[in-house]
Amino acid sequence: MNWTENWPTGLMWVSVLLFVGALFAVMRFLRNASERQDGLDWSADEDADEIHPERRPSTKGFVAVWVLVFVVAMALSCVALAHRPGRDRVLPPDGVLWTPEALLQDFFRSSEQVTYQQISLTPKEQAQLAALTRTDREDPTQLLYVARTGADVDGYAFLSEIRSSGDPAAFGVQLGTDGRVKRVEVMRLLDPDQQEVLDSRFLHQYEGRTFSDAPRLHRGVERPVECTSACRDATQAVRRALFLVSKAQSGGELEVASPMPTERR
């Protein structure tokens, strides 16, 4: 991940440096405040202050030290907040988190209509998509959703839930008119042991990806250790979505269908 995506790690190192600096400052302040003025026992503090006024502990230094400690505490708190574990989401009995209709409405809240389109793939394109998604074969007909307001296209969406309702995990991918991924959601998850895929920190890594990133997507996205098949399915769904949007924008063959899906294929 680049520095934009990995800012919590950078903040962590900054907070560590601040913390070390604060420790040195505190130790030096305490040493200066506790050491005897010149190695002798004076009968009165005011005598020592008169002889060595420069050795008097500095109030300004004390305030500066604690301001630095406060800054360090705030930085560490930000790191802890950024790396906090995601909240556990309770899976429904059927594992369905989003229906196709509900997710499309949430993807395109301000669009006037959302239609789905059938994209016909040539044998060569099927082979290209299969190589990209690392599957044995791809269907010659794929579904891509297009949101419009008037004659303008607002964005695209691909739902793997529509493609196959038998997979243990299904995803919805929203893409902008520039072909970049805007959002990825888990639509269905049947395996409770794969709940790490619900972590928003994992799903956010797909945002901003383009078709040129698709072949190396598995290297650019860090997945949780315990997330295996579901996270691979997420990467596969994003790759398929990027491929279909690229074909649609390049003037590929599209067959306009009904406004909203009424049944699953």
Side-chain angles (χ1 to χ4, degrees), residues 107-108 154-155 173-178 180-184 204 206-209:
F107 275 167
F108 309 108
D154 298 329
V173 184
Q174 180 187 9
L175 304 97
T177 54
D178 57 356
R180 294 181 178 272
V181 176
K182 296 183 64 175
R183 181 178 162 193
V184 179
H204 286 336
Y206 293 107
E207 297 175 2
R209 306 289 181 171

Side-chain angles (χ1 to χ4, degrees), residues 30-44:
L30 293 177
R31 184 183 62 183
N32 292 339
S34 60
E35 68 180 359
R36 288 177 297 181
Q37 302 301 324
D38 60 356
L40 301 176
D41 292 333
W42 296 90
S43 57

Side-chain angles (χ1 to χ4, degrees), residues 28-191:
R28 183 172 182 179
F29 174 80
L30 293 177
R31 184 183 62 183
N32 292 339
S34 60
E35 68 180 359
R36 288 177 297 181
Q37 302 301 324
D38 60 356
L40 301 176
D41 292 333
W42 296 90
S43 57
D45 292 339
E46 58 271 14
D47 295 335
D49 293 338
E50 291 175 359
I51 297 175
H52 299 287
E54 71 280 359
R55 295 291 185 90
R56 186 184 306 169
S58 172
T59 303
K60 293 182 179 179
F62 179 82
V63 173
V65 167
W66 286 106
V67 167
L68 183 59
V69 171
F70 176 77
V71 171
V72 171
M74 291 298 295
L76 291 175
S77 299
C78 289
V79 172
L81 182 64
H83 288 274
R84 72 189 187 279
R87 296 182 178 179
D88 292 336
R89 294 176 62 180
V90 179
L91 288 176
D94 58 357
V96 176
L97 299 169
W98 289 94
T99 63
E101 294 81 2
L103 185 57
L104 289 173
Q105 291 174 2
D106 199 68
F107 275 167
F108 309 108
R109 298 181 182 181
S110 60
S111 299
E112 291 181 355
Q113 64 174 346
V114 179
T115 60
Y116 72 90
Q117 300 179 334
Q118 293 182 344
I119 299 182
S120 299
L121 302 180
T122 65
K124 181 179 179 180
E125 290 171 338
Q126 287 180 254
Q128 292 174 341
L129 181 55
L132 183 65
T133 58
R134 300 185 178 184
T135 55
D136 294 335
R137 62 178 300 274
E138 288 287 341
D139 295 335
T141 302
Q142 302 281 343
L143 291 183
L144 182 68
Y145 293 84
V146 183
R148 289 186 174 88
T149 299
D152 297 328
V153 174
D154 298 329
Y156 305 90
F158 171 77
L159 307 183
S160 62
E161 169 76 0
I162 298 296
R163 181 174 179 271
S164 174
S165 59
D167 294 336
F171 302 87
V173 184
Q174 180 187 9
L175 304 97
T177 54
D178 57 356
R180 294 181 178 272
V181 176
K182 296 183 64 175
R183 181 178 162 193
V184 179
E185 287 288 344
V186 182
M187 298 183 64
R188 184 183 68 255
L189 183 63
L190 302 181
D191 187 356

